[in-house]
């Protein structure tokens, strides 16, 4: 048997880069008007936020609500932000084509991306010694891509409201039809 465990970091980085690329591509296509990309991006954002938010809350519970030694100070909280649940509604609204919440959703995603990158930056400090490079490699790219895509969507002009039918147009519809 080998004396060292296998190195999986490159695979996790590859998965993270793939997920980040997919998120960025969907967000970019959504910003260009693709309805399918907008729906996929919104549903994916809501689903990922549900999972990440649950994991973040679980990590907090184990950290503060139990005496479990391995759970104390779990640094995966940086990439599994408990406030990710705040993105669920924004993802659903985006999938439904509602644009009013995009700027707020973009700010929350930017906070999640910043927290994930902070998780990488603090690794230079001696008291952040958990071996969680795999999770950082896998989760930072999608967080950054989601923040970028939502910022791009938030900077788009709001769609014009549908035209309002005038009294004349309504009267034409109601009147007798010429044969």
């Amino acid at each position: 048997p080998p004396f060292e465990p296998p190195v999986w970091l490159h695979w996790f980085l590859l998965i993270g880069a793939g997920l980040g690329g997919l998120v960025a591509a969907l967000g970019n296509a959504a910003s260009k008007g693709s309805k399918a990309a907008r729906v996929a991006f919104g549903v994916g954002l809501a689903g990922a936020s549900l999972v990440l938010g649950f994991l973040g809350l679980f990590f907090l519970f184990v950290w503060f609500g139990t005496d479990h030694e391995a759970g104390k100070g779990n640094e995966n909280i940086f990439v599994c932000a408990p406030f990710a649940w705040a993105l669920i509604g924004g993802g659903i609204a985006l999938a439904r084509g509602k644009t009013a919440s995009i700027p707020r959703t973009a700010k929350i995603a930017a906070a999640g991306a910043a927290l994930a990158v902070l998780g990488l930056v603090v690794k230079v400090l001696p008291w952040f010694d958990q071996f969680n490079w795999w999770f950082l490699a896998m989760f930072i790219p999608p967080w950054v891509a989601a923040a970028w895509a939502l910022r791009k969507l938030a900077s788009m002009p709001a769609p014009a409201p549908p035209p309002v039918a005038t009294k004349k147009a309504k009267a034409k519809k109601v009147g007798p039809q010429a044969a």
Side-chain angles (χ1 to χ4, degrees):
F3 292 104
E4 294 290 322
V7 177
W8 292 87
L9 181 61
H10 60 286
W11 292 112
F12 279 81
L13 186 57
L14 187 65
I15 292 168
L19 289 172
L22 177 64
V23 169
L26 286 173
N28 190 45
S31 73
K32 293 179 180 177
S34 169
K35 181 179 179 182
R38 176 181 47 78
V39 169
F41 181 66
V43 169
L45 180 66
S49 300
L50 179 69
V51 172
L52 291 175
F54 171 78
L55 287 173
L57 289 172
F58 176 75
F59 292 149
L60 284 178
F61 169 73
V62 171
W63 192 347
F64 295 111
T66 71
D67 60 355
H68 194 277
E69 276 303 310
K72 300 284 185 205
N74 191 329
E75 295 170 25
N76 291 322
I77 196 77
F78 285 108
V79 291
C80 298
F83 62 81
W85 271 0
L87 294 170
I88 296 171
I92 293 170
L94 181 62
R96 294 181 60 217
K98 310 293 183 192
T99 60
S101 65
I102 292 176
R104 179 183 58 84
T105 305
K107 290 176 185 171
I108 297 168
L115 184 64
V117 170
L118 178 65
L120 178 66
V121 171
V122 300
K123 292 306 261 179
V124 301
L125 300 174
W127 51 89
F128 290 96
D129 60 350
Q130 179 179 340
F131 189 81
N132 67 335
W133 293 101
W134 298 354
F135 293 102
L136 293 171
M138 189 168 64
F139 288 122
I140 290 175
W143 267 116
V144 172
W148 172 81
L150 284 164
R151 183 176 171 96
K152 187 171 184 173
L153 286 166
S155 68
M156 294 176 47
V164 178
T166 62
K167 288 182 183 179
K168 232 185 222 186
K170 287 181 184 177
K172 284 183 184 178
K173 288 182 183 177
V174 176
Q177 300 292 330

